[in-house]
mmCIF file of all heavy atoms in Angstrom:
data_model
loop_
_atom_site.group_PDB
_atom_site.id
_atom_site.type_symbol
_atom_site.label_atom_id
_atom_site.label_comp_id
_atom_site.label_asym_id
_atom_site.label_seq_id
_atom_site.Cartn_x
_atom_site.Cartn_y
_atom_site.Cartn_z
ATOM 1 N N CYS A 1 169.424 208.170 -9.789
ATOM 2 C CA CYS A 1 170.529 208.524 -10.740
ATOM 3 C C CYS A 1 170.650 210.001 -10.928
ATOM 4 O O CYS A 1 171.184 210.472 -11.940
ATOM 5 C CB CYS A 1 170.315 207.838 -12.079
ATOM 6 S SG CYS A 1 170.533 206.066 -12.054
ATOM 7 N N ALA A 2 170.152 210.793 -9.987
ATOM 8 C CA ALA A 2 170.163 212.273 -10.144
ATOM 9 C C ALA A 2 171.571 212.817 -10.335
ATOM 10 O O ALA A 2 171.752 213.899 -10.921
ATOM 11 C CB ALA A 2 169.481 212.942 -8.963
ATOM 12 N N ASP A 3 172.585 212.120 -9.824
ATOM 13 C CA ASP A 3 173.939 212.574 -9.989
ATOM 14 C C ASP A 3 174.394 212.617 -11.445
ATOM 15 O O ASP A 3 175.424 213.167 -11.760
ATOM 16 C CB ASP A 3 174.896 211.693 -9.205
ATOM 17 C CG ASP A 3 174.791 211.906 -7.699
ATOM 18 O OD1 ASP A 3 174.183 212.908 -7.300
ATOM 19 O OD2 ASP A 3 175.303 211.083 -6.942
ATOM 20 N N SER A 4 173.632 211.984 -12.329
ATOM 21 C CA SER A 4 173.979 211.931 -13.738
ATOM 22 C C SER A 4 173.437 213.126 -14.549
ATOM 23 O O SER A 4 173.579 213.181 -15.771
ATOM 24 C CB SER A 4 173.448 210.629 -14.380
ATOM 25 O OG SER A 4 174.047 209.529 -13.799
ATOM 26 N N GLN A 5 172.838 214.095 -13.863
ATOM 27 C CA GLN A 5 172.201 215.209 -14.580
ATOM 28 C C GLN A 5 173.209 215.972 -15.424
ATOM 29 O O GLN A 5 172.893 216.445 -16.548
ATOM 30 C CB GLN A 5 171.428 216.090 -13.659
ATOM 31 C CG GLN A 5 172.254 216.787 -12.583
ATOM 32 C CD GLN A 5 171.422 217.577 -11.622
ATOM 33 O OE1 GLN A 5 171.027 218.685 -11.954
ATOM 34 N NE2 GLN A 5 171.164 217.039 -10.452
ATOM 35 N N ASP A 6 174.421 216.171 -14.931
ATOM 36 C CA ASP A 6 175.386 216.935 -15.676
ATOM 37 C C ASP A 6 175.767 216.183 -16.995
ATOM 38 O O ASP A 6 176.010 216.836 -17.994
ATOM 39 C CB ASP A 6 176.679 217.172 -14.847
ATOM 40 C CG ASP A 6 176.455 218.189 -13.770
ATOM 41 O OD1 ASP A 6 175.456 218.959 -13.854
ATOM 42 O OD2 ASP A 6 177.247 218.213 -12.830
ATOM 43 N N ALA A 7 175.827 214.864 -16.929
ATOM 44 C CA ALA A 7 176.069 214.079 -18.172
ATOM 45 C C ALA A 7 174.920 214.241 -19.118
ATOM 46 O O ALA A 7 175.109 214.321 -20.338
ATOM 47 C CB ALA A 7 176.285 212.596 -17.793
ATOM 48 N N ALA A 8 173.700 214.291 -18.595
ATOM 49 C CA ALA A 8 172.525 214.483 -19.457
ATOM 50 C C ALA A 8 172.573 215.889 -20.142
ATOM 51 O O ALA A 8 172.221 216.035 -21.320
ATOM 52 C CB ALA A 8 171.238 214.346 -18.679
ATOM 53 N N ILE A 9 173.010 216.878 -19.387
ATOM 54 C CA ILE A 9 173.116 218.200 -19.932
ATOM 55 C C ILE A 9 174.214 218.241 -21.034
ATOM 56 O O ILE A 9 174.003 218.796 -22.104
ATOM 57 C CB ILE A 9 173.461 219.249 -18.833
ATOM 58 C CG1 ILE A 9 172.251 219.354 -17.839
ATOM 59 C CG2 ILE A 9 173.749 220.571 -19.414
ATOM 60 C CD1 ILE A 9 172.576 220.078 -16.589
ATOM 61 N N ALA A 10 175.331 217.601 -20.741
ATOM 62 C CA ALA A 10 176.421 217.554 -21.733
ATOM 63 C C ALA A 10 176.039 216.818 -22.986
ATOM 64 O O ALA A 10 176.583 217.109 -24.043
ATOM 65 C CB ALA A 10 177.664 216.893 -21.068
ATOM 66 N N ALA A 11 175.108 215.889 -22.864
ATOM 67 C CA ALA A 11 174.648 215.137 -24.026
ATOM 68 C C ALA A 11 173.549 215.872 -24.786
ATOM 69 O O ALA A 11 172.950 215.345 -25.740
ATOM 70 C CB ALA A 11 174.116 213.749 -23.592
ATOM 71 N N GLY A 12 173.226 217.089 -24.390
ATOM 72 C CA GLY A 12 172.212 217.875 -25.093
ATOM 73 C C GLY A 12 170.796 217.489 -24.834
ATOM 74 O O GLY A 12 169.940 217.704 -25.664
ATOM 75 N N CYS A 13 170.509 216.916 -23.656
ATOM 76 C CA CYS A 13 169.167 216.458 -23.358
ATOM 77 C C CYS A 13 168.295 217.614 -22.888
ATOM 78 O O CYS A 13 168.739 218.536 -22.203
ATOM 79 C CB CYS A 13 169.228 215.426 -22.259
ATOM 80 S SG CYS A 13 170.011 213.885 -22.776
ATOM 81 N N ASP A 14 167.036 217.553 -23.303
ATOM 82 C CA ASP A 14 166.033 218.517 -22.844
ATOM 83 C C ASP A 14 165.412 218.135 -21.552
ATOM 84 O O ASP A 14 164.877 218.939 -20.793
ATOM 85 C CB ASP A 14 164.942 218.659 -23.897
ATOM 86 C CG ASP A 14 165.456 219.013 -25.267
ATOM 87 O OD1 ASP A 14 166.078 220.097 -25.386
ATOM 88 O OD2 ASP A 14 165.293 218.232 -26.233
ATOM 89 N N ALA A 15 165.471 216.813 -21.224
ATOM 90 C CA ALA A 15 164.868 216.308 -19.987
ATOM 91 C C ALA A 15 165.607 215.097 -19.533
ATOM 92 O O ALA A 15 166.267 214.372 -20.280
ATOM 93 C CB ALA A 15 163.382 215.929 -20.246
ATOM 94 N N PHE A 16 165.585 214.925 -18.199
ATOM 95 C CA PHE A 16 166.225 213.771 -17.558
ATOM 96 C C PHE A 16 165.175 213.146 -16.595
ATOM 97 O O PHE A 16 164.723 213.813 -15.696
ATOM 98 C CB PHE A 16 167.472 214.193 -16.812
ATOM 99 C CG PHE A 16 168.192 213.043 -16.096
ATOM 100 C CD1 PHE A 16 168.219 211.750 -16.631
ATOM 101 C CD2 PHE A 16 168.872 213.292 -14.946
ATOM 102 C CE1 PHE A 16 168.890 210.712 -16.005
ATOM 103 C CE2 PHE A 16 169.579 212.303 -14.285
ATOM 104 C CZ PHE A 16 169.572 210.992 -14.840
ATOM 105 N N VAL A 17 164.824 211.913 -16.849
ATOM 106 C CA VAL A 17 163.812 211.168 -16.043
ATOM 107 C C VAL A 17 164.574 210.246 -15.126
ATOM 108 O O VAL A 17 165.283 209.328 -15.542
ATOM 109 C CB VAL A 17 162.834 210.406 -16.914
ATOM 110 C CG1 VAL A 17 161.849 209.678 -16.036
ATOM 111 C CG2 VAL A 17 162.110 211.317 -17.893
ATOM 112 N N THR A 18 164.355 210.416 -13.806
ATOM 113 C CA THR A 18 165.018 209.565 -12.794
ATOM 114 C C THR A 18 164.145 209.619 -11.524
ATOM 115 O O THR A 18 162.916 209.806 -11.627
ATOM 116 C CB THR A 18 166.475 209.952 -12.570
ATOM 117 O OG1 THR A 18 167.094 209.003 -11.675
ATOM 118 C CG2 THR A 18 166.634 211.326 -12.039
ATOM 119 N N SER A 19 164.803 209.421 -10.357
ATOM 120 C CA SER A 19 164.013 209.531 -9.111
ATOM 121 C C SER A 19 164.944 210.034 -7.991
ATOM 122 O O SER A 19 166.167 210.199 -8.180
ATOM 123 C CB SER A 19 163.448 208.178 -8.733
ATOM 124 O OG SER A 19 164.452 207.345 -8.240
ATOM 125 N N ASP A 20 164.319 210.266 -6.837
ATOM 126 C CA ASP A 20 165.029 210.723 -5.642
ATOM 127 C C ASP A 20 165.826 212.024 -5.866
ATOM 128 O O ASP A 20 166.926 212.153 -5.370
ATOM 129 C CB ASP A 20 165.959 209.596 -5.120
ATOM 130 C CG ASP A 20 165.236 208.291 -4.847
ATOM 131 O OD1 ASP A 20 163.978 208.313 -4.885
ATOM 132 O OD2 ASP A 20 165.869 207.274 -4.671
ATOM 133 N N ILE A 21 165.268 212.953 -6.641
ATOM 134 C CA ILE A 21 165.978 214.198 -6.942
ATOM 135 C C ILE A 21 165.848 215.141 -5.732
ATOM 136 O O ILE A 21 164.778 215.237 -5.139
ATOM 137 C CB ILE A 21 165.340 214.864 -8.207
ATOM 138 C CG1 ILE A 21 165.519 213.939 -9.438
ATOM 139 C CG2 ILE A 21 165.969 216.208 -8.458
ATOM 140 C CD1 ILE A 21 164.833 214.441 -10.688
ATOM 141 N N LYS A 22 166.933 215.798 -5.424
ATOM 142 C CA LYS A 22 166.970 216.680 -4.272
ATOM 143 C C LYS A 22 166.402 218.072 -4.634
ATOM 144 O O LYS A 22 166.437 218.503 -5.757
ATOM 145 C CB LYS A 22 168.392 216.830 -3.752
ATOM 146 C CG LYS A 22 168.948 215.498 -3.208
ATOM 147 C CD LYS A 22 170.363 215.705 -2.716
ATOM 148 C CE LYS A 22 170.953 214.371 -2.193
ATOM 149 N NZ LYS A 22 172.370 214.494 -1.734
ATOM 150 N N TYR A 23 166.033 218.796 -3.593
ATOM 151 C CA TYR A 23 165.443 220.124 -3.737
ATOM 152 C C TYR A 23 166.365 221.067 -4.533
ATOM 153 O O TYR A 23 165.932 221.722 -5.479
ATOM 154 C CB TYR A 23 165.127 220.720 -2.378
ATOM 155 C CG TYR A 23 164.778 222.177 -2.429
ATOM 156 C CD1 TYR A 23 163.524 222.597 -2.854
ATOM 157 C CD2 TYR A 23 165.694 223.165 -1.963
ATOM 158 C CE1 TYR A 23 163.199 223.930 -2.912
ATOM 159 C CE2 TYR A 23 165.366 224.487 -1.994
ATOM 160 C CZ TYR A 23 164.130 224.894 -2.479
ATOM 161 O OH TYR A 23 163.781 226.234 -2.521
ATOM 162 N N HIS A 24 167.644 221.115 -4.152
ATOM 163 C CA HIS A 24 168.518 222.077 -4.786
ATOM 164 C C HIS A 24 168.734 221.742 -6.272
ATOM 165 O O HIS A 24 169.032 222.634 -7.105
ATOM 166 C CB HIS A 24 169.890 222.160 -4.062
ATOM 167 C CG HIS A 24 170.729 220.970 -4.142
ATOM 168 N ND1 HIS A 24 171.534 220.706 -5.242
ATOM 169 C CD2 HIS A 24 170.937 219.928 -3.306
ATOM 170 C CE1 HIS A 24 172.148 219.559 -5.023
ATOM 171 N NE2 HIS A 24 171.801 219.084 -3.901
ATOM 172 N N ASP A 25 168.593 220.442 -6.661
ATOM 173 C CA ASP A 25 168.711 220.088 -8.043
ATOM 174 C C ASP A 25 167.535 220.656 -8.851
ATOM 175 O O ASP A 25 167.676 221.129 -9.927
ATOM 176 C CB ASP A 25 168.751 218.560 -8.192
ATOM 177 C CG ASP A 25 170.050 217.964 -7.656
ATOM 178 O OD1 ASP A 25 171.087 218.609 -7.827
ATOM 179 O OD2 ASP A 25 170.026 216.871 -7.094
ATOM 180 N N PHE A 26 166.327 220.534 -8.266
ATOM 181 C CA PHE A 26 165.173 221.137 -8.923
ATOM 182 C C PHE A 26 165.320 222.659 -9.003
ATOM 183 O O PHE A 26 164.981 223.241 -10.032
ATOM 184 C CB PHE A 26 163.873 220.797 -8.087
ATOM 185 C CG PHE A 26 163.311 219.453 -8.325
ATOM 186 C CD1 PHE A 26 163.078 218.607 -7.271
ATOM 187 C CD2 PHE A 26 162.985 219.036 -9.587
ATOM 188 C CE1 PHE A 26 162.519 217.360 -7.456
ATOM 189 C CE2 PHE A 26 162.413 217.779 -9.824
ATOM 190 C CZ PHE A 26 162.168 216.966 -8.749
#
């Protein structure tokens, strides 16, 4: 679900726990 990171940021999250995250996302 790494594609949801922008939604997590918009929701004011400090962290997003998921899997299969790509290098450029890190």
Side-chain angles (χ1 to χ4, degrees):
C1 289
D3 288 346
S4 296
Q5 61 183 281
D6 288 342
I9 294 168
C13 293
D14 303 301
F16 180 33
V17 180
T18 185
S19 73
D20 303 350
I21 298 174
K22 295 179 180 179
Y23 169 75
H24 68 82
D25 291 323
F26 280 126

